[in-house]
Amino acid sequence: MTRRLLLLFFLLPFAAVATPAPTVAITFDDLPFAAVPAEDDAQLEAMTARLLHSLQAEQVPAVGFVNEAKLTRDDTLDPRRVGLLRSWIRAGFELGNHTYSHPSLNRIPLDAFEADLLRGETVTRPLMQSEGKSLRWFRHPFLHQGATPEVRRAFQAFLAAHAYVVAPVTVNSAEWVFAAAYARALEQGDEAAARRIGAAYVPYMQTVFAQAEQLALDLFGRPIAHVLVLHANALNADYFDALAAMLRQRGYRFISLDEALKDSAYASPPGSSGVEGESWLEGWARQAGLRPPLPPPVPGFVTRWAGAAALRGY
Ligand SMILES: [Zn+2]
């Protein structure tokens, strides 16, 4: 070993301490499915299997957030859809509550919202318990946290009383627009268009991450443990591995939501800037007087494929 190599050998551990690997917890909303080309059981099961397989291959400790309204068909609980949730748990992932029917806390009265939330644990809570796990995470639909400080405070007390922990989001994106476009292209049998949409998705997410990293740096003066929100859709079933490869290339390590929340950044109260649907990071930035950057533009052909679905939102 040369002297220079020896020196490098001793310095490397310090270099590693000085620049820790960026970390991210991955979460999926709108389980058991959002934006799929068809809602038949076989396709939903295949999509879920592909997504879970990618997560396991990448060793990603994800949490999935359930809307139990999607477990019913013709007002009847569909056991095969419940089976989709069971496969998430059996693959080693945790489930959280995302309300029953995905209402906005900014749009409906608090008591109606709370009733919808409790209805949303009817199946998931016993299912988790039967697999030896407990339900504890909650994710706000649309990331809407209540229009007034009073509602936000009262809802926080409600969550605490029911032993729920809020799952924040620091990296939000128009992933669902790409997903709507992708599902529609597949539905119409245009595989070339689907591939083009998929190929545009990962570079778009790379820009989203670059922006979130910079905003965290501007705000905290250091990288933070991020929480990414995605959806349980056909796009991620087919492209999560490419997304994960991009993140690993940026140096990311995948961590659990628990581990992410140990970052002191999450001790800051969530932003209440009044700008709807923004991430916690954007909210914190506004509170500190920083203006979050505009999200990167979604390519025109993607928006056109998404069509009406993109306007509806998820
Ligand atoms: Zn949602």
Side-chain angles (χ1 to χ4, degrees), residues 29-30 98 102:
D29 283 7
D30 302 4
H98 193 40
H102 210 279

Side-chain angles (χ1 to χ4, degrees), residues 1 24 55 87-88 105 154 170 192 217 236 246 258 269 276 284:
M1 197 181 270
V24 61
L55 292 173
S87 48
W88 278 80
L105 182 52
T170 63
L217 218 51
N236 288 314
M246 178 277 284
D258 279 309
E276 288 198 343
W284 292 328

Side-chain angles (χ1 to χ4, degrees), residues 108-127:
I108 70 168
L110 180 61
D111 54 353
F113 187 87
E114 290 171 349
D116 194 86
L117 186 160
L118 292 178
R119 193 180 173 195
E121 61 173 41
T122 319
V123 174
T124 311
R125 189 180 286 284
L127 194 62

Side-chain angles (χ1 to χ4, degrees), residues 62 96 136 180 237:
R136 57 193 174 120

